[in-house]
Amino acid sequence: MGEREADLVLVERVQAGDQEAFGLLVSKYQRKLLRLVMRMVRDPAEAEDVAQEAFIKAYRALPNFRGDSAFYTWLYRIGVNTAKNWLVANGRRMPTMSEIGDGDSDGIDESVLLRDDETPDRVLMSRQIGETVNAAMDALPNDLRTAISLREIEGLSYEEIAQVMDCPIGTVRSRIFRAREAIAARLRPMLDIAPDRRW
Amino acid sequence: MKKERSSEISALFDGELEEHEVRAAIKASVHDQDGWRMYALISDGLRGDCPNAPDLTAGVMSRLREEPVVLAPRALGAQRRQHPLLALAASVAGVAVVGWLVLAGSPQTPMSGENIAASKPATVASAVTPGLTFVAAPDNPTRSTPRTTDKHPVQADISEYLLAHHAQSPTSHLHDSTQQIRTVAMTAARP
């Protein structure tokens, strides 16, 4: 079962009345959708509102989702349409396609994330999260670091990673899990003590 | 973070579970949303996707609680799991039912007390619709014998509604080709 099929199972749970399953999909794709929306709606606060509205629209439209496309592709279209409608309603210029880009392009310039009321603490927090993740990665044993890099950065499946690392798929699953737990152990203290926790 | 957390949530996040493991993993993820969110944060952090972006989950879920709960027919599940031959069998069975309606139904045929007592009607909806009564055969509750009780035609839209929502019916699950057929009891409104 691939990631697409796993998402479809979650969608099926939502269609059966389980709203909490939709929360898992929100948690998984919120930043990706937010990055997409921010390419069209420049203001971060407004982009958050638009992204939230896109999720609500997606929930309402779920009875019509048949799985012909991947869930994120479908969500992506709703996000784009919601952002377009917001721009029209607010009399804003529609960005060009080169400005929108695609959903999988590199991370946007951090300066775009700055709001007029962005405090130095928040900017620092953003950098600290990234640095903590990188530091945790550097501290991982080679096999764990390789496994999670191949998964998260290269996007390989467990089977492909198993072939690359010449180990069983179960070992790949275990290494990725242990790598995530190790990184989370470093992140959690920093996030728990953050004065205005945003993650 | 719980040390005893198993790797199933991590594997579910990657979509790398066997089908028989998925449901238990989803249940575990719903109960351990902190773990799920942390994995999402790590994933986004490694890819540079707005690591300091606010968590929209709470706001979205708060608004969802004010929304009507989504209930959709199992169109997605049926599409994924249905065997191709079942569709053919369902079509044949559907044609057979329609043929039965045309050939065997008679608006003048009364129902005797013995037939009513012996039959076991399976009621799917309580809608009172003039036109048609289906009575389950005594020896096979999954078969139905139509009886038209008056001259009003069955409303096709109600039949379509019942067919689409049969999964939510409290009646027992029908297997194989009869899965696409519903036994319903719709009694005519008698003056």
Side-chain angles (χ1 to χ4, degrees), chain B residues 77-103:
Chain B
Q79 189 179 23
R80 290 192 303 113
R81 291 191 292 267
Q82 192 176 33
H83 193 281
L85 289 180
L86 283 179
L88 177 62
S91 301
V92 171
V95 170
V97 168
V98 171
W100 182 282
L101 286 175
V102 171
L103 297 175

Side-chain angles (χ1 to χ4, degrees), chain A residues 1-3 6 8-24 26-28 30-32 34-35 48 51-53 55-56 59-60 62-63 65-68 107 113 118 122 125-126 129 133-134 137 148 151-153 157-159 173 176-177 180-181 183-184 187-188 191 197-199, chain B residues 1-19 21-23 26-27 29-30 33-34 36-61 63-81:
Chain A
M1 172 177 290
E3 192 165 357
L8 292 182
V9 173
L10 285 173
V11 169
E12 194 175 287
R13 284 277 296 234
V14 180
Q15 289 175 331
D18 185 354
Q19 283 191 337
E20 295 300 324
F22 191 75
L24 298 180
V26 174
S27 295
K28 187 174 181 182
Q30 59 174 324
R31 290 179 193 85
K32 205 169 180 180
L34 186 61
R35 186 183 68 171
E48 291 170 24
Q52 192 171 99
E53 186 62 31
F55 276 117
I56 299 300
Y59 177 79
R60 291 172 183 161
L62 268 180
F65 178 68
R66 293 289 179 263
D68 298 329
L113 292 171
E118 192 75 46
R122 289 184 177 179
M125 183 66 170
S126 177
I129 291 176
V133 171
N134 288 332
M137 282 283 284
I148 195 168
R151 173 63 207 162
E152 292 288 5
I153 299 173
S157 67
Y158 282 18
E159 184 175 351
R173 171 171 161 169
I176 291 174
F177 166 66
R180 283 178 169 144
E181 291 293 301
I183 297 172
L187 268 177
R188 191 162 186 82
L191 296 171
R197 171 173 156 176
R198 284 169 58 94
W199 72 275
Chain B
M1 184 169 296
K2 303 175 188 176
K3 291 185 179 178
E4 64 272 15
R5 176 181 296 123
S6 70
S7 63
E8 62 184 2
I9 297 178
S10 173
L12 175 67
F13 189 83
D14 294 329
E16 293 280 357
L17 282 177
E18 297 298 325
E19 193 147 350
E21 299 175 287
V22 169
R23 301 207 178 275
I26 290 176
K27 189 175 179 181
S29 299
V30 169
Q33 299 208 18
D34 178 68
W36 181 272
R37 283 200 293 269
M38 184 62 79
Y39 291 162
L41 178 64
I42 292 171
S43 177
D44 292 333
L46 286 172
R47 300 177 190 184
D49 281 338
C50 306
N52 194 33
D55 187 353
L56 302 177
T57 311
V60 170
M61 297 309 291
R63 285 187 60 182
L64 282 190
R65 288 184 193 100
E66 300 170 8
E67 294 278 326
V69 173
V70 165
L71 276 178
R74 290 182 188 171
L76 187 58
Q79 189 179 23
R80 290 192 303 113
R81 291 191 292 267

Side-chain angles (χ1 to χ4, degrees), chain A residues 60-80:
Chain A
R60 291 172 183 161
L62 268 180
N64 301 323
F65 178 68
R66 293 289 179 263
D68 298 329
S69 63
F71 172 76
Y72 179 68
T73 304
W74 180 76
L75 178 67
Y76 179 106
R77 285 199 292 268
I78 292 176
V80 169

